[in-house]
Amino acid sequence: MPLMMSEEGFENDESDYHTLPRARLTRRKRGLEWFVCGGWKFLCTSCCDWLINVCQRKKELKARTVWLGCPEKCEEKHPRNSIKNQKYNVFTFIPGVLYEQFKFFLNLYFLVVSCSQFVPALKIGYLYTYWAPLGFVLAVTIAREAIDEFRRFQRDKEMNSQLYSKLTVRGKVQVKSSDIQVGDLIIVEKNQRIPSDMVFLRTSEKAGSCFIRTDQLDGETDWKLKVAVSCTQRLPALGDLFSISAYVYAQKPQLDIHSFEGTFTREDSDPPIHESLSIENTLWASTIVASGTVIGVVIYTGKETRSVMNTSNPKNKVGLLDLELNQLTKALFLALVVLSVVMVTLQGFAGPWYRNLFRFLLLFSYIIPISLRVNLDMGKAAYGWMIMKDENIPGTVVRTSTIPEELGRLVYLLTDKTGTLTQNEMVFKRLHLGTVSYGTDTMDEIQSHVFNSYLQVHSQASGHNPSSAPLRRSQSSTPKVKKSVSSRIHEAVKAIALCHNVTPVYEARTGVTGETEFAEADQDFSDENRTYQASSPDEVALVRWTESVGLTLVSRDLASMQLKTPSGQVLTYCILQMFPFTSESKRMGIIVRDESTAEITFYMKGADVAMSTIVQYNDWLEEECGNMAREGLRTLVVAKRTLTEEQYQDFESRYSQAKLSIHDRTLKVAAVVESLEREMELLCLTGVEDQLQADVRPTLEMLRNAGIKIWMLTGDKLETATCIAKSSHLVSRTQDIHIFRPVTSRGEAHLELNAFRRKHDCALVISGDSLEVCLRYYEHELVELACQCPAVVCCRCSPTQKAHIVTLLRQHTRKRTCAIGDGGNDVSMIQAADCGIGIEGKEGKQASLAADFSITQFRHIGRLLMVHGRNSYKRSAALGQFVMHRGLIISTMQAVFSSVFYFASVPLYQGFLMVGYATIYTMFPVFSLVLDQDVKPEMAILYPELYKDLTKGRSLSFKTFLIWVLISIYQGGILMYGALVLFEAEFVHVVAISFTALILTELLMVALTIRTWHWLMVVAEFLSLGCYVASLAFLNEYFGIGRVSFGAFLDVAFITTVTFLWKVSAITVVSCLPLYVLKYLKRKLSPPSYSKLSS
């Protein structure tokens, strides 16, 4: 146990790291070995990278000053506003596609072999025998890439040629999206895409704000509220934008879509007007206007827009099976070289031996079959088609057709929580006031309390209206008297109804024409057509709940909010300030003024971690938060503070000053807001439940039984994550949970890891910060310990951390990983994993578009892995090895033939026979292996334990490969020697005889390999046989020996003789019967695990 050491070890800081034997890093071996093992690749790629960097020097991104409507005033050149998703251009297309193909050893080898045929001394047979298969493979690939590329080009062209209205001095002009420049004033209509990053200047909406949909940008389906710059919104008419002299100062283009710092300055007024710009004044490209018409000034175009900067180029994923087959082809190449050298040695190095050596290399080149890639690619396409056609998992889409076999080899499944395991649909469950708690069954009590309190307020207000305001003022300064439950409920409900960023949206009645639509919608506050829009489903759940207890949010704009009481009276509140929720502050606040009483209140709600230090001392908050979290509820703490007019004015001046600062703006603003967040009055604690997706529990159970280790990576709180892990049975009831204490230093991490090492068979829960610290000092140890856990939950993870964990798992364990998620924040994790699965969820389609496979529900993953993953892997393994066997047999026969004929480098079969052998005669039966299945789908799902065998990779390994090699050598030898021995007299017919026996052997071998027959397989077998028999009549001149056919045209009379038939049958039986016997004995003596179930 390398970590078990005394605590004294911490004095010398770095020493204990070097004494850990496991963490010792192996140095890279340089020199010749390094060069051969892949150093040459490294050198080539680094040279290419250097060249590319020289050619495309990255332009430095700078902050900019943009004059309204004056693109010509820009100091430097900005990129064109065109979208370009194409991988290649006209010049790089052919080289690019060819490079992607010849990266594989297999294809490169064939290219060399085919090119050698242009050298007369090396020419063997006809050119087309080598070039036809290679040309076919390349043609198919280039055609596929060209179609994809053309589709991308069309999509880009469509986007780039969308027309927008541009505002000029002479009025509106139509302009293409790709011709928009920095400084242009662009008008965007409702439901139109925003073409480039803009600062929002004006809108047709009275409130001076509009909604935009951002699901294409960040994967969130809710609408975002954006605010126009007030200086330009106040101008009387559109044309006045040209009569003022104003500019926008914008920071340099960045990746972060959630922040922006800039200022708006109008110079020609006295004094000049300065306004600070933040994220809510921006309209990013690729978002869609959801209400009204907007006018904005373009600040970033093309490559510098946020949406383009955030798209990473997805890497081409290569499956494990392809890598294994690539290794096997290298082994075959070695065998080929050895065989050729042996042949030349046996010749005695006579004559120009190096030429003979090369001729032998060409003769035996069929050892490595070119049809391997074609067959596998077609197989993959077939599996993808089967997955998409499966009626048990409707809506599944295969976006990366190259890796369906990966689904059968997974060991780690990394899943997101919100929206993947849970539905992301919130239901309000509990309200806690410290002394009393209300659940779903006691909500009617809250309703009656709210009703009564508003009746009292109403009667008081109507009784003595003038004096009520000062009376309230004096009350707030007197010492606090213990309030009744009724008034506390009233305060709590009011706070929840006011402290949020929800906007009620009214769907206009159908049949109402355009203009009157808005007018009618303004007055029409009826409940039927009201929907709520907010940035998180929790918020909507809270506002829906206040509506159900009698306090309804009826309208909201930037400056005010209106609530309707149970008695139907409408209360108006003025919004003075909003402090939105951020992941750092974990809380949101709002300052409102009650119009009727002029009372200013600061409301705040947030996570218990953030709020516990802000609210006044109490003894129940922490305990109750823990209780709610254990029930699986998401908790929010609500608090308030009443402000006097002077306090507010003082705050406002400091706040606006901080907002105008260019340096460290965020820090300064936070400091000002924090001055308010002191000694707030705790009102209540709310609990909202996020419901689990359908069938999450049985699916996780199935995956666990299949030997897949499940890790949950979530951005959520530790308590929520833990309780979802329990309720979804990710962690079984009997298991202990080890919660990794927060650590900040190396010493703490060391102690905590030691404590964790002593635990056995318990699930690990760790937070993002602690994980970061542990990975910095004890990466190897932590990953090793975590991999032994049955389940791991990482909470408070950022998207980059999620991707980092996936990469770590891949590097350390060398096992296959799968990531599954549904939101924009899971994209990096999905792209980092060997196999990424996206769910089309509430949070939009971003994850499902970036993934390799896209499903509609989490429960479909069970069938996808157990049935389709299993079949794809088993079938591809069988197909790959069979195609190799097909090439090996013919090479063995060639070797025997050459050795009998004094090691002459003469081909046994002429051009067309070789091409026909790999295609028309055996292709259908061999390819029909993609329909084979060893276990019925129902069985595979009922006994997920069968999946464990697949992860060991036994279907395709050097062992199985060697068995196939031995079979090929045995069969090739029997076929050739049999033909030579039995047909001493009719020696000229040796080609016809051996080739016929070869075709029969191949067809019988396919039948031997198949585990479950399908009618198409039978058709394929007979079709191929029919093709061969038919071709015997036409291709008689090919059945001679060598270049000259010795005048031995194949006489049909000879084929139909009984001797020919029985001799061919005898050879075939000798080559195949032993294998059938062996297979039967193997099934009897050591049957595979699945056969026990199917019998």
Side-chain angles (χ1 to χ4, degrees):
M1 299 241 174
L3 273 177
M4 285 287 192
M5 47 168 73
S6 63
E7 269 73 75
E8 289 92 65
F10 290 127
E11 269 71 89
N12 43 357
D13 190 39
E14 287 299 315
S15 63
D16 59 336
Y17 188 51
H18 297 300
T19 54
L20 301 174
R22 296 212 187 113
R24 204 164 291 144
L25 305 168
T26 50
R27 284 180 189 76
R28 216 179 216 182
K29 300 181 184 70
R30 286 273 157 173
L32 188 65
E33 182 192 355
W34 171 80
F35 186 79
V36 173
C37 293
W40 61 276
K41 262 190 188 168
F42 173 74
L43 289 174
C44 293
T45 45
S46 39
C47 292
C48 293
D49 289 347
W50 177 77
L51 270 172
I52 290 167
N53 283 340
V54 170
C55 299
Q56 312 179 324
R57 279 265 159 79
K58 278 268 176 78
K59 208 183 76 188
E60 181 111 14
L61 299 172
K62 297 196 188 98
R64 57 199 57 189
T65 302
V66 180
W67 291 84
L68 265 59
C70 306
E72 61 282 352
K73 278 198 190 176
C74 289
E75 288 101 39
E76 67 249 15
K77 210 164 159 278
H78 298 297
R80 277 190 74 217
N81 190 40
S82 55
I83 291 174
K84 188 167 183 291
N85 286 316
Q86 286 160 264
K87 280 190 194 169
Y88 313 103
N89 59 31
V90 183
F91 304 107
T92 58
F93 177 69
I94 297 290
V97 175
L98 292 180
Y99 170 72
E100 283 298 323
Q101 281 308 300
F102 294 125
K103 248 187 350 190
F104 279 103
F105 176 73
L106 199 66
N107 298 3
L108 188 64
Y109 164 75
F110 276 111
L111 185 67
V112 174
V113 168
S114 305
C115 290
S116 70
Q117 289 301 291
F118 290 118
V119 180
L122 302 174
K123 192 162 185 279
I124 292 181
Y126 299 100
L127 267 180
Y128 67 78
T129 51
Y130 290 94
W131 278 101
L134 184 67
F136 177 70
V137 175
L138 289 180
V140 169
T141 314
I142 291 177
R144 196 176 61 197
E145 275 296 324
I147 290 167
D148 284 353
E149 195 64 0
F150 184 65
R151 282 189 187 144
R152 283 188 211 113
F153 167 72
Q154 278 186 314
R155 275 205 302 267
D156 292 349
K157 192 176 171 190
E158 192 184 342
M159 292 296 250
N160 290 330
S161 53
Q162 281 177 350
L163 291 175
Y164 290 90
S165 301
K166 169 173 148 184
L167 210 59
T168 60
V169 188
R170 290 181 292 285
K172 291 183 191 177
V173 187
Q174 291 287 308
V175 57
K176 272 189 190 171
S177 168
S178 55
D179 296 337
I180 289 173
Q181 296 168 299
V182 172
D184 280 347
L185 296 176
I186 302 292
I187 302 172
V188 187
E189 305 289 337
K190 184 176 174 179
N191 290 335
Q192 219 181 354
R193 185 182 76 88
I194 292 172
S196 58
D197 290 356
M198 313 200 290
V199 166
F200 183 15
L201 298 179
R202 326 173 40 103
T203 168
S204 58
E205 302 277 292
K206 293 195 294 294
S209 64
C210 78
F211 278 107
I212 62 166
R213 294 203 295 273
T214 61
D215 48 347
Q216 294 303 312
L217 184 66
D218 57 10
E220 295 177 9
T221 48
D222 45 85
W223 296 5
K224 307 279 187 302
L225 189 72
K226 296 289 178 181
V227 187
V229 175
S230 57
C231 170
T232 46
Q233 177 67 23
R234 284 198 303 266
L235 295 174
L238 257 185
D240 298 343
L241 284 171
F242 286 100
S243 61
I244 64 169
S245 161
Y247 64 85
V248 169
Y249 170 81
Q251 62 184 145
K252 68 171 198 261
Q254 292 183 351
L255 274 171
D256 188 4
I257 51 175
H258 299 298
S259 74
F260 173 74
E261 286 178 13
T263 49
F264 174 89
T265 311
R266 180 176 172 183
E267 283 192 329
D268 56 357
S269 65
D270 193 41
I273 299 172
H274 296 284
E275 264 190 64
S276 77
L277 303 176
S278 70
I279 184 70
E280 56 187 24
N281 307 108
T282 58
L283 304 167
W284 294 146
S286 297
T287 56
I288 290 170
V289 180
S291 64
T293 306
V294 304
I295 292 113
V297 59
V298 176
I299 50 171
Y300 308 124
T301 51
K303 286 192 216 116
E304 298 178 340
T305 59
R306 293 289 204 266
S307 62
V308 175
M309 289 178 81
N310 270 289
T311 45
S312 55
N313 293 336
K315 59 181 196 316
N316 286 340
K317 295 188 182 180
V318 180
L320 188 58
L321 187 96
D322 295 321
L323 297 174
E324 288 168 346
L325 283 169
N326 210 24
Q327 295 294 17
L328 293 182
T329 38
K330 286 177 187 167
L332 285 174
F333 178 68
L334 270 174
L336 164 70
V337 175
V338 170
L339 185 61
S340 307
V341 171
V342 167
M343 283 292 185
V344 175
T345 314
L346 291 174
Q347 258 186 354
F349 291 106
W353 61 271
Y354 49 88
R355 201 188 77 186
N356 287 344
L357 176 68
F358 210 94
R359 283 179 67 97
F360 274 124
L361 280 175
L362 293 174
L363 271 181
F364 298 139
S365 68
Y366 279 93
I367 284 187
I368 304 177
I370 187 157
S371 50
L372 183 62
R373 283 221 67 84
V374 189
N375 275 307
L376 283 178
D377 285 352
M378 281 163 44
K380 287 169 195 236
Y383 311 141
W385 186 81
M386 289 173 197
I387 292 174
M388 296 210 259
K389 284 278 169 270
D390 188 345
E391 279 155 17
N392 297 300
I393 45 173
T396 304
V397 184
V398 178
R399 296 189 198 281
T400 309
S401 57
T402 51
I403 54 168
E405 300 93 3
E406 293 290 272
L407 292 171
R409 314 280 302 267
L410 302 174
V411 182
Y412 290 97
L413 177 74
L414 301 105
T415 163
D416 175 39
K417 178 184 76 69
T418 316
T420 305
L421 297 178
T422 61
Q423 290 180 16
N424 209 5
E425 266 184 23
M426 309 296 172
V427 185
F428 189 95
K429 286 285 183 188
R430 175 150 312 172
L431 180 76
H432 204 293
L433 300 169
T435 50
V436 56
S437 162
Y438 294 96
T440 34
D441 43 356
T442 48
M443 291 297 177
D444 48 346
E445 283 185 38
I446 298 183
Q447 204 169 348
S448 61
H449 280 305
V450 171
F451 191 74
N452 294 336
S453 57
Y454 272 110
L455 275 181
Q456 287 167 7
V457 171
H458 195 66
S459 58
Q460 273 179 357
S462 54
H464 40 268
N465 203 8
S467 61
S468 65
L471 201 123
R472 290 248 170 116
R473 274 296 148 70
S474 58
Q475 268 179 354
S476 63
S477 54
T478 56
K480 294 207 165 48
V481 186
K482 197 155 192 211
K483 295 178 178 166
S484 68
V485 171
S486 183
S487 67
R488 277 167 58 202
I489 287 178
H490 173 206
E491 280 297 325
V493 173
K494 187 165 84 177
I496 296 171
L498 287 172
C499 184
H500 52 69
N501 61 2
V502 182
T503 309
V505 179
Y506 293 93
E507 296 304 322
R509 296 272 167 79
T510 46
V512 180
T513 51
E515 276 313 302
T516 53
E517 181 178 1
F518 292 110
E520 182 150 344
D522 282 344
Q523 279 95 41
D524 189 11
F525 286 159
S526 64
D527 296 346
E528 296 83 64
N529 51 9
R530 183 190 311 112
T531 51
Y532 292 116
Q533 282 298 343
S535 55
S536 89
D538 301 46
E539 300 258 84
V540 178
L542 292 172
V543 175
R544 287 230 171 91
W545 173 78
T546 60
E547 179 181 0
S548 71
V549 295
L551 199 57
T552 313
L553 174 70
V554 287
S555 81
R556 161 157 194 173
D557 53 33
L558 287 180
S560 70
M561 207 179 328
Q562 291 185 320
L563 301 181
K564 191 164 75 178
T565 64
S567 55
Q569 182 195 8
V570 174
L571 308 171
T572 308
Y573 291 87
C574 211
I575 302 175
L576 302 175
Q577 296 289 351
M578 269 287 292
F579 313 112
F581 182 90
T582 62
S583 47
E584 284 77 48
S585 69
K586 302 188 181 59
R587 55 187 182 265
M588 67 149 303
I590 187 169
I591 303 180
V592 293
R593 180 192 278 127
D594 187 342
E595 294 281 296
S596 57
T597 61
E599 188 177 64
I600 300 176
T601 318
F602 173 39
Y603 288 108
M604 187 150 226
K605 72 163 186 245
D608 49 314
V609 201
M611 298 291 287
S612 54
T613 51
I614 293 171
V615 297
Q616 291 166 350
Y617 174 74
N618 61 74
D619 51 6
W620 58 273
L621 183 61
E622 201 175 331
E623 186 187 345
E624 285 306 327
C625 282
N627 290 343
M628 282 195 193
R630 274 190 285 281
E631 288 176 42
L633 303 179
R634 295 159 76 112
T635 53
L636 281 174
V637 180
V638 185
K640 76 162 192 176
R641 179 178 170 188
T642 313
L643 302 176
T644 62
E645 190 68 43
E646 298 77 46
Q647 281 173 323
Y648 175 67
Q649 291 305 336
D650 166 51
F651 164 77
E652 192 188 27
S653 62
R654 284 184 298 139
Y655 186 64
S656 44
Q657 209 172 344
K659 267 169 66 173
L660 279 170
S661 60
I662 290 291
H663 302 292
D664 299 332
R665 180 191 291 180
T666 355
L667 288 173
K668 289 179 185 169
V669 168
V672 176
V673 177
E674 264 168 37
S675 66
L676 273 190
E677 301 171 350
R678 296 208 181 111
E679 287 294 299
M680 296 186 73
E681 180 190 340
L682 174 59
L683 296 175
C684 65
L685 176 66
T686 63
V688 175
E689 183 186 40
D690 191 354
Q691 293 172 322
L692 286 179
Q693 292 265 13
D695 290 340
V696 161
R697 292 187 185 116
T699 305
L700 288 178
E701 187 81 17
M702 180 200 291
L703 296 174
R704 236 198 342 264
N705 291 341
I708 296 174
K709 292 186 175 166
I710 305 166
W711 290 32
M712 183 165 91
L713 313 179
T714 171
D716 234 327
K717 292 199 287 291
L718 190 130
E719 300 78 16
T720 327
T722 317
C723 81
I724 292 287
K726 281 179 186 162
S727 65
S728 65
H729 294 187
L730 177 72
V731 178
S732 60
R733 287 291 158 93
T734 51
Q735 266 165 6
D736 280 346
I737 292 185
H738 177 81
I739 293 181
F740 206 87
R741 282 211 314 272
V743 294
T744 46
S745 67
R746 181 188 184 125
E748 289 177 6
H750 189 115
L751 292 173
E752 216 15 66
L753 279 169
N754 271 344
F756 177 47
R757 193 182 278 280
R758 296 186 192 102
K759 296 271 183 80
H760 290 291
D761 188 48
C762 69
L764 170 68
V765 177
I766 185 168
S767 71
D769 334 339
S770 310
L771 186 73
E772 200 75 354
V773 175
C774 292
L775 290 179
R776 194 175 316 138
Y777 300 116
Y778 299 115
E779 180 180 289
H780 191 90
E781 283 69 22
L782 180 73
V783 178
E784 197 175 0
L785 285 173
C787 288
Q788 293 164 7
C789 292
V792 177
V793 176
C794 302
C795 47
R796 288 270 171 244
C797 280
S798 66
T800 38
Q801 253 178 339
K802 289 182 178 184
H804 185 53
I805 293 170
V806 175
T807 323
L808 268 181
L809 265 181
R810 284 179 57 190
Q811 287 167 352
H812 274 270
T813 61
R814 304 271 167 195
K815 299 276 196 293
R816 299 324 256 177
T817 56
C818 169
I820 176 167
D822 74 319
N825 57 344
D826 304 317
V827 170
S828 45
M829 160 173 90
I830 285 174
Q831 285 177 343
D834 295 301
C835 166
I837 300 180
I839 296 183
E840 290 189 15
K842 281 261 185 322
E843 298 184 28
K845 280 193 172 183
Q846 208 178 0
S848 79
L849 290 174
D852 307 309
F853 301 92
S854 142
I855 56 180
T856 49
Q857 287 181 348
F858 183 78
R859 61 175 178 186
H860 291 166
I861 194 176
R863 189 176 172 90
L864 192 64
L865 301 189
M866 300 304 130
V867 177
H868 294 289
R870 176 187 191 84
N871 287 345
S872 303
Y873 171 55
K874 287 268 193 182
R875 288 162 177 173
S876 279
L879 186 64
Q881 296 186 101
F882 205 92
V883 173
M884 286 180 175
H885 153 80
R886 190 168 72 180
L888 275 166
I889 265 199
I890 210 157
S891 299
T892 311
M893 292 173 75
Q894 175 70 53
V896 173
F897 176 78
S898 289
S899 54
V900 169
F901 285 93
Y902 313 105
F903 310 106
S905 50
V906 178
L908 169 60
Y909 297 133
Q910 281 304 306
F912 190 80
L913 285 189
M914 290 306 288
V915 177
Y917 170 65
T919 53
I920 194 160
Y921 299 148
T922 59
M923 190 176 90
F924 299 116
V926 171
F927 188 67
S928 70
L929 287 172
V930 302
L931 299 167
D932 189 20
Q933 56 179 28
D934 55 352
V935 181
K936 287 200 170 66
E938 299 72 40
M939 278 298 188
I941 288 176
L942 193 59
Y943 298 103
E945 290 76 7
L946 290 172
Y947 189 86
K948 283 183 192 167
D949 288 350
L950 302 182
T951 51
K952 295 170 186 159
R954 287 181 181 162
S955 301
L956 176 69
S957 60
F958 270 103
K959 183 182 159 191
T960 58
F961 172 64
L962 281 173
I963 292 171
W964 274 106
V965 171
L966 293 173
I967 291 175
S968 310
I969 292 174
Y970 165 74
Q971 289 189 330
I974 290 288
L975 289 173
M976 202 61 228
Y977 276 121
L980 294 171
V981 169
L982 291 177
F983 289 94
E984 284 293 298
E986 308 98 344
F987 191 69
V988 283
H989 297 305
V990 71
V991 172
I993 295 148
S994 60
F995 196 75
T996 310
L998 174 65
I999 298 289
L1000 289 174
T1001 300
E1002 279 297 292
L1003 297 181
L1004 285 171
M1005 282 303 290
V1006 171
L1008 176 72
T1009 313
I1010 286 170
R1011 289 168 286 222
T1012 315
W1013 282 88
H1014 186 284
W1015 63 271
L1016 277 170
M1017 296 174 171
V1018 183
V1019 171
E1021 292 264 351
F1022 284 111
L1023 183 71
S1024 296
L1025 194 59
C1027 286
Y1028 177 65
V1029 173
S1031 66
L1032 281 177
F1034 303 112
L1035 302 173
N1036 46 18
E1037 77 270 18
Y1038 283 115
F1039 286 97
I1041 302 179
R1043 233 356 115 61
V1044 192
S1045 298
F1046 297 153
F1049 286 112
L1050 183 80
D1051 39 356
V1052 181
F1054 171 67
I1055 293 187
T1056 48
T1057 55
V1058 179
T1059 44
F1060 174 79
L1061 292 175
W1062 85 253
K1063 286 183 175 178
V1064 166
S1065 309
I1067 296 173
T1068 312
V1069 166
V1070 174
S1071 77
C1072 288
L1073 193 65
L1075 296 172
Y1076 270 89
V1077 174
L1078 282 171
K1079 181 182 176 180
Y1080 176 76
L1081 289 175
K1082 189 171 182 289
R1083 289 287 305 227
K1084 272 279 169 258
L1085 299 174
S1086 71
S1089 51
Y1090 58 82
S1091 62
K1092 300 166 191 165
L1093 299 174
S1094 42
S1095 60

